[in-house]
């Protein structure tokens, strides 16, 4: 029911406000606890959060094509995409500020992430370089840090505003088997990517940042009240099943 929902949002807001002052923040502790519980379950899908298994994260098959736009003629596909390492996150900072207009910060590092995929890439770049890739694609990133900060906006529902995201990469290595038709160019491109990877990604991020951040802010605001309510627990209403119901916390017991 609508009124029950608003009540839960108000409850969540009230617990946010209860963090004010010098006492250790109950809310931050709750989120940290939640993240640890999540870490133990990231090898399974979590239906109550609508999440697939996150470590490893498997995607695909997927296909994409760019037809002669900007002199790039490209079609590509991925298969058996697998990303590992998301559950080994290190939470550096979590600072929630419940006063509207004052920044909250979240700083997380992924010490080592690695992806592996089968790929195809066919096409040409300005009709000069021919892509004829087909094989394994692999990449690893070390010390990938994700720093997010936002302000709280208190309207009728809980919402954030002025979201800022900073992304830092320690190191990035990529390998695409047989990417270019000519072996010399292939070697050159790979050296270039591996030398330039971090800066290249930084440039792409700067270029796309406003778009991504705006989309994220919208998504977060749409999901925030419900997510907060399920993390905080809604004050023992017992209408919804517990968030991790039916998902065993056994992901870190194997592969040690
Ligand atoms: C994020 O945390 C790391 C590790 O503590 C630190 O080196 C870095 O400066 C932090 N970044 C920001 C923007 O606070
Ligand atoms: C990643 O961070 C750790 C701990 O701060 C450091 O020892 C290591 O050298 C870093 N690795 C890279 C590739 O930056």
């Amino acid at each position: 029911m609508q009124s029950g929902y608003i009540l839960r949002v108000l409850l969540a807001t009230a617990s946010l406000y209860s963090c004010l002052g010098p006492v250790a923040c109950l809310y931050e502790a709750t989120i940290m606890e939640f993240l640890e519980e999540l870490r133990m379950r990231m090898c399974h899908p979590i239906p109550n959060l609508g999440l697939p298994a996150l470590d490893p994260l498997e995607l695909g098959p997927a296909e994409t094509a760019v037809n002669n736009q900007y002199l790039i003629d490209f079609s590509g596909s991925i298969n058996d995409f697998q990303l590992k390492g998301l559950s080994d996150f290190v939470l550096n900072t979590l600072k929630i500020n419940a006063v509207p207009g004052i920044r909250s910060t979240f700083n997380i590092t992924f010490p080592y992430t690695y992806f592996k995929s089968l790929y195809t890439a066919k096409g040409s770049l300005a009709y000069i370089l021919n892509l004829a890739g087909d094989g394994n694609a692999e990449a690893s990133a070390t010390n990938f840090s994700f720093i997010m900060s936002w302000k709280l906006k208190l309207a009728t529902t809980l919402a954030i505003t002025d979201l800022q995201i900073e992304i830092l990469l320690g190191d990035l290595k990529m390998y695409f088997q047989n990417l270019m038709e000519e072996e010399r160019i292939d070697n050159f491109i790979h050296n270039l990517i591996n030398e330039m990877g971090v800066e290249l990604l930084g440039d792409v991020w700067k270029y796309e940042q406003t778009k991504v951040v705006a989309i994220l802010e919208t998504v977060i605001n749409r999901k925030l009240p419900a997510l907060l309510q399920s993390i905080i627990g809604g004050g023992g209403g017992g209408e919804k099943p517990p968030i991790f119901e039916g998902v065993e916390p056994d992901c870190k017991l194997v592969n040690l």
Side-chain angles (χ1 to χ4, degrees):
M1 294 298 287
Q2 191 65 14
S3 60
Y5 180 72
I6 288 170
L7 189 69
R8 287 198 294 271
V9 171
L10 285 176
L11 241 153
T13 312
S15 22
L16 269 170
Y17 272 107
S18 72
C19 298
L20 294 173
V23 232
C25 180
L26 176 72
Y27 194 66
E28 285 162 7
T30 308
I31 291 180
M32 279 190 239
E33 209 175 289
F34 168 78
L35 287 175
E36 288 309 317
E37 293 286 319
L38 181 66
R39 185 204 299 279
M40 301 300 285
R41 294 170 170 87
M42 282 171 77
C43 62
H44 304 296
I46 302 170
N48 288 351
L49 285 174
L51 289 175
L54 291 173
D55 196 3
L57 175 68
E58 290 174 359
L59 296 176
E63 284 179 34
T64 180
V66 181
N67 288 326
N68 238 336
Q69 227 182 343
Y70 314 115
L71 294 178
I72 300 172
D73 175 23
F74 176 81
S75 70
S77 68
I78 59 162
N79 242 311
D80 297 329
F81 176 94
Q82 207 183 53
L83 175 70
K84 286 185 180 168
L86 289 185
S87 66
D88 297 321
F89 59 82
V90 178
L91 185 63
N92 301 312
T93 315
L94 175 68
K95 202 164 176 303
I96 305 280
N97 209 311
V99 183
I102 297 186
R103 274 194 179 278
S104 295
T105 308
F106 174 73
N107 176 344
I108 196 166
T109 299
F110 299 91
Y112 187 79
T113 52
Y114 169 81
F115 87 71
K116 197 169 76 170
S117 173
L118 288 173
Y119 88 105
T120 65
K122 309 263 183 231
S124 74
L125 201 60
Y127 306 110
I128 300 169
L129 293 177
N130 284 325
L131 286 173
D134 194 342
N136 294 313
E138 296 175 34
S140 66
T142 44
N143 292 348
F144 174 78
S145 292
F146 184 84
I147 300 116
M148 208 166 121
S149 77
W150 66 92
K151 293 174 182 171
L152 206 63
K153 184 168 76 177
L154 277 183
T156 44
T157 58
L158 206 54
I160 62 161
T161 181
D162 200 9
L163 179 66
Q164 289 175 11
I165 297 176
E166 199 180 321
I167 285 175
L168 299 169
L169 256 179
D171 198 13
L172 179 70
K173 289 268 174 281
M174 289 187 248
Y175 173 67
F176 288 78
Q177 196 176 22
N178 308 315
L179 179 62
M180 311 296 290
E181 250 174 14
E182 244 186 274
E183 191 183 336
R184 268 185 320 155
I185 298 177
D186 194 47
N187 291 339
F188 171 74
I189 297 271
H190 272 100
N191 289 339
L192 189 71
I193 290 176
N194 286 329
E195 288 288 319
M196 296 277 301
V198 175
E199 285 94 59
L200 216 66
L201 227 76
D203 286 348
V204 170
W205 173 243
K206 268 182 215 135
Y207 181 70
E208 293 287 347
Q209 185 171 13
T210 42
K211 219 190 296 177
V212 175
V213 168
I215 293 170
L216 257 179
E217 202 174 282
T218 311
V219 170
I220 288 172
N221 281 337
R222 201 161 46 211
K223 301 225 169 201
L224 190 65
L227 183 64
L228 275 183
Q229 188 257 316
S230 50
I231 294 175
I232 294 171
E239 303 142 52
K240 280 186 95 181
I243 198 160
F244 293 123
E245 188 184 49
V247 186
E248 289 296 317
D250 57 3
C251 294
K252 293 288 172 189
L253 303 181
V254 284
N255 295 331
L256 274 179

